[in-house]
Amino acid sequence: MPSSSSPTVFLLLLHLFVRLSLFGMTILVEHPDSAVEVEEKKVSDQTGEENELVLDGGFVVPPTNAFGHTFRDYDVNSDRRDGVEEFYRINHINQSVDFVKRMREEYGKLDKVEMSIWECCELLNEVVDESDPDLDEPQIEHLLQTAEAIRKDYPDEGWLHLTALIHDLGKVLHLPAFGELPQWAVVGDTYPVGCAFDESTVHHKHFKKNPDYNNPAYNTKYGIYSEGCGLDNVLMSWGHDDYMYLVAKENKSTLPSAGLFIVRYHSFYALHRAGAYKHLMNEEDIENLKWLKIFNKYDLYSKSKVRIDVEKVKPYYLSLIEKYFPAKLRW
């Protein structure tokens, strides 16, 4: 397009942007020398009713993690860097289809312990996540930090507050009463098994020694799955996410599907940060992913040394637990 017409085109597009903004839409207007991007928190139709989620509840992302480094930086020189990479080396070698099937069969019996959600929260005081480059506090602190940050910005979404509280409870797998699984089988980023390991997964190079890496049944884009099969039909690497999902589902939790989706896939960073594996998603997954992306911001960036007054907030979370879970659960 001749340069002399560019200002006219830009003004026309800007006029279009203003008209569309009246209906709550978002548009990117590009110009040869500039770009204007406007992001709306809520998208409304012509009746004024919201038809999209609030993607930014006002949470301000801190510049550094609890160690003073950027978040999820697996290369920064720190006391935890080498240990984190060694964790993922072992994790990537051992998380195979056969291993995941064995773990799901064994732990799907839910015959280890019977206890309440809050009792499980208290057990988590004994766990520190070795795969996390951002925090070394006991897990109960992280659960409450996440839940309280979401509660502040989304006060009417009680189910989401509770989801934040319980999302990491599966880390009790590391404790003796649950078989004392090694941390590589409990924590860390998760990913599908039974199809090719996407390169966006942290420390991808270590998958080369996984027994499924060169198996033609498992190392293609779709592997044992099909287009749009739905993530509920996909085997995920075994850990606290999948275990807590099984616990919630089998104990008949009344959390909405988005809550169960968050529990199972909150460590699936290749999906919600890099956009990998979307070819396996169905329509319900696509809708639930919107909530997961909201949750993930709080899960990741609320990690800090700020302490939560547990006794002060406990009554509120006990009321949510009573609403969405039975008094005692099989684990």
Side-chain angles (χ1 to χ4, degrees):
M1 179 181 295
S3 59
S4 61
S5 66
S6 296
T8 300
V9 172
F10 178 71
L11 288 174
L12 288 172
L13 288 173
L14 183 59
H15 176 68
L16 176 60
F17 160 72
V18 172
R19 289 176 61 85
L20 290 173
S21 293
L22 295 175
F23 296 100
M25 298 179 68
T26 300
I27 188 169
L28 178 66
V29 182
E30 295 186 350
H31 182 261
D33 301 313
S34 64
V36 178
E37 185 174 9
V38 177
E39 183 178 355
E40 296 289 336
K41 289 185 180 180
K42 300 179 182 179
V43 179
S44 305
D45 60 22
Q46 296 185 26
T47 66
E49 295 182 354
E50 295 175 22
N51 55 27
E52 290 289 343
L53 299 177
V54 180
L55 297 179
D56 182 1
F59 182 74
V60 177
V61 175
T64 59
N65 63 21
F67 298 103
H69 306 302
T70 55
F71 286 87
R72 286 181 60 82
D73 189 337
Y74 291 92
D75 297 317
V76 68
N77 288 318
S78 72
D79 293 337
R80 290 172 68 83
R81 182 190 65 175
D82 293 342
V84 170
E85 178 165 1
E86 176 61 12
F87 163 89
Y88 277 110
R89 186 187 71 81
I90 300 172
N91 171 281
H92 290 353
I93 290 174
N94 288 285
Q95 291 277 2
S96 65
V97 169
D98 287 344
F99 172 76
V100 169
K101 286 182 175 180
R102 289 202 312 273
M103 291 297 99
R104 286 193 120 239
E105 181 179 0
E106 177 181 347
Y107 284 92
K109 298 173 185 175
L110 302 180
D111 59 357
K112 308 299 181 186
V113 176
E114 184 175 296
M115 62 180 170
S116 69
I117 289 289
W118 191 262
E119 287 173 325
C120 189
C121 289
E122 293 177 333
L123 272 182
L124 239 61
N125 277 325
E126 303 176 31
V127 179
V128 174
D129 186 341
E130 293 177 358
S131 74
D132 192 339
D134 298 324
L135 191 66
D136 59 0
E137 295 294 310
Q139 292 300 299
I140 186 64
E141 295 287 334
H142 167 56
L143 297 181
L144 288 171
Q145 286 171 352
T146 305
E148 284 295 284
I150 293 176
R151 183 182 174 190
K152 178 181 177 182
D153 288 350
Y154 298 87
D156 299 326
E157 306 296 343
W159 68 270
L160 190 57
H161 312 160
L162 180 59
T163 299
L165 180 72
I166 71 166
H167 77 282
D168 275 347
L169 292 188
K171 290 180 180 180
V172 294
L173 285 172
H174 187 54
L175 300 178
F178 295 83
E180 203 168 7
L181 290 181
Q183 288 228 355
W184 63 261
V186 179
V187 297
D189 285 17
T190 58
Y191 43 84
V193 297
C195 60
F197 300 113
D198 191 85
E199 292 185 0
S200 64
T201 306
V202 61
H203 292 305
H204 176 271
K205 62 185 178 182
H206 296 303
F207 282 122
K208 292 180 180 179
K209 293 184 178 180
N210 185 295
D212 295 346
Y213 187 80
N214 293 311
N215 186 332
Y218 301 143
N219 65 5
T220 62
K221 179 179 179 179
Y222 291 97
I224 59 177
Y225 311 115
S226 59
E227 179 82 27
C229 63
L231 294 179
D232 195 45
N233 295 306
V234 172
L235 289 172
M236 298 295 295
S237 56
W238 177 253
H240 73 279
D241 311 62
D242 212 24
Y243 177 57
M244 189 59 209
Y245 167 75
L246 290 175
V247 169
K249 188 175 180 181
E250 295 304 316
N251 281 281
K252 310 301 182 185
S253 169
T254 56
L255 279 174
S257 63
L260 296 177
F261 187 91
I262 289 170
V263 168
R264 192 180 192 215
Y265 305 111
H266 67 269
S267 301
F268 190 5
Y269 280 88
L271 171 67
H272 54 77
R273 292 296 295 276
Y277 300 103
K278 286 188 174 180
H279 55 284
L280 301 178
M281 297 172 66
N282 59 24
E283 291 184 5
E284 184 177 14
D285 295 331
I286 293 170
E287 288 302 308
N288 287 337
L289 182 60
K290 297 175 184 178
W291 281 111
L292 177 55
K293 286 185 175 182
I294 290 173
F295 170 84
N296 177 250
K297 179 174 61 175
Y298 295 87
D299 182 23
L300 178 59
Y301 296 117
S302 64
K303 297 172 184 176
S304 71
K305 296 295 184 180
V306 177
R307 306 301 293 271
I308 300 293
D309 186 338
V310 177
E311 292 306 312
K312 182 178 179 180
V313 301
K314 182 177 177 179
Y316 173 69
Y317 289 101
L318 287 178
S319 70
L320 292 179
I321 291 169
E322 183 178 2
K323 180 178 179 180
Y324 291 101
F325 282 94
K328 294 287 185 178
L329 288 76
R330 294 177 297 110
W331 300 76

